[in-house]
């Protein structure tokens, strides 16, 4: 199975700050990577698919980049509503595998 | 709009069976497979498997072979997850999510297992 190593596992950031979360796959996943945001008691919300394609309705401050094994999610200017846990997922190869999550809190 | 609506929370005893539904709307059900994902309390997301909604063929992740069963009611655009012989470690929220990029998710179904 492809292992997805997500970092950091938790972080504090200030409002307006640029935030980057990374995911490293144990092998090339050909950009078949999605990013999700989850708030307490809610289902994951898809932000990015195919590494860099923004889902309709997701604010443009979110962006995804990367290729090969290395991917990142960037929030250009952190807003209060961005608190939550972020997960990456590779769906290039069976079985699909999630990263361990990044808990983002406001400083 | 595309929606996946899951059945409500369940309270079960160890050894019982639970069946969770996931009703899809806003798209052709048989065009996209359905994934199932487990989230234990305070933990991350774990893929359980998926079902091909066109053929009905299920595929289970290694940790979910045996007591778990995926099924369909295609006429109702509904996928089901059944867990037999419930154990304490099955206590979790279960999500359905449309394949392949998991673009759409159900709201989750909390299964509580308690004697």
């Amino acid at each position: 199975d492809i292992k997805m190593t997500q970092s950091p596992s938790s972080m504090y950031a200030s409002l307006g700050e640029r935030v980057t979360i990374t995911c490293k796959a144990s092998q090339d996943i050909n950009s078949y990577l999605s990013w999700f945001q989850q708030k307490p008691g809610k289902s994951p919300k898809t932000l990015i698919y195919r590494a860099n394609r923004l889902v309709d309705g997701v604010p443009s401050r979110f962006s995804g980049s990367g290729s090969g094994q290395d991917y990142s999610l960037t929030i250009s200017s952190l807003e209060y509503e961005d608190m939550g846990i972020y997960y990456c997922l590779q769906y290039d190869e069976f079985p699909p595998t999630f990263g361990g999550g990044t808990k983002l809190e406001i400083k | 709009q595309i929606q996946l609506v899951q059945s409500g929370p369940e309270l079960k005893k160890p050894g019982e069976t639970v069946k969770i539904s996931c009703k899809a709307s806003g798209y052709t059900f048989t065009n996209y497979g359905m994934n199932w994902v487990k989230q234990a309390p305070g933990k991350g997301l774990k893929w359980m498997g998926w079902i091909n909604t066109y053929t009905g063929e299920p595929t289970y992740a290694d940790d979910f072979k045996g007591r778990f069963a995926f099924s369909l009611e295609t006429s109702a655009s509904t996928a089901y997850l059944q867990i037999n012989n419930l154990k304490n470690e099955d206590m979790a929220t279960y999500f359905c999510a449309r394949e392949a990029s998991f673009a759409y998710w159900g709201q989750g179904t909390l299964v509580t297992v308690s004697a």
Side-chain angles (χ1 to χ4, degrees), chain A residues 4-5 11 27 42 49-50 67 71 77 87-88 100-101 107:
Chain A
M4 302 300 294
T5 303
M11 65 180 300
Q27 65 187 65
K42 300 292 188 184
Y49 66 102
R50 262 319 229 131
S67 63
Y71 299 86
S77 179
Y87 294 95
C88 62
K107 199 183 293 182

Side-chain angles (χ1 to χ4, degrees), chain A residues 21-23 33-36 45-48 72-73 87-88:
Chain A
I21 298 167
T22 64
C23 254
L33 182 111
S34 289
W35 289 99
F36 309 96
K45 173 187 175 183
T46 309
L47 304 173
I48 303 280
S72 60
L73 172 71
Y87 294 95
C88 62

Side-chain angles (χ1 to χ4, degrees), chain A residues 43-84:
Chain A
S43 59
K45 173 187 175 183
T46 309
L47 304 173
I48 303 280
Y49 66 102
R50 262 319 229 131
N52 59 13
R53 299 180 188 179
L54 197 67
V55 170
D56 286 349
V58 173
S60 59
R61 64 181 180 274
F62 290 93
S63 64
S65 64
S67 63
Q69 294 177 255
D70 297 299
Y71 299 86
S72 60
L73 172 71
T74 297
I75 307 171
S76 60
S77 179
L78 189 67
E79 297 196 8
Y80 185 79
E81 66 196 44
D82 299 335
M83 274 197 309

